[in-house]
Amino acid sequence: MNITKIFYATWAVLFALFAYWQFNDPDPEVWVSTYVVAIIFCLLGFRGIFPKIPLAVLVVVCLVGAVYFWPESVSDWIVQELEQKNLSMKTPQMEEARETFGLMIIALVMLPGLIKAWKK
């Protein structure tokens, strides 16, 4: 198995876990759907299929969403996360910060596939 297949298989599993953890979210339909789309693109990447336009749209939408949800103070959010003993959401700002980083992760994971698609 080559590195591209391992990369996308690993991220498909991780995104499936992320989707599962979103079921108790205040708006699970948005975030479960978001991670399911990421899983689909990971499975396509696993098969060596990199659709240029859909990947570009996904990356741009995720980056725009991340900017929209960007926490006012990243350092305060990180301190809050490190100080708590569990992963429960304590404030709406923590939830938005987590959503921001989830979107950034999706964009970063999809970027290599987009670059591959663009080079073809």
Side-chain angles (χ1 to χ4, degrees), residues 69-106:
F69 286 115
W70 190 261
E72 289 181 24
S73 173
V74 174
S75 61
D76 288 346
W77 170 71
I78 291 171
V79 168
Q80 282 180 331
E81 292 285 351
L82 293 174
E83 287 177 347
Q84 70 177 357
K85 301 286 187 237
N86 57 37
L87 290 176
S88 65
M89 182 184 69
K90 304 289 190 229
T91 67
Q93 293 79 15
M94 288 175 78
E95 179 67 12
E96 286 182 0
R98 290 176 182 177
E99 290 167 349
T100 296
F101 287 99
L103 291 171
M104 288 175 56
I105 290 168
I106 293 171

Side-chain angles (χ1 to χ4, degrees), residues 6 15 28 49 51 60 63 65 68 70 75 79 81 91 108 113 119:
I6 293 169
F15 287 142
I49 302 169
V60 168
L63 291 175
Y68 177 77
W70 190 261
S75 61
V79 168
E81 292 285 351
T91 67
L108 289 172
K119 286 182 177 179

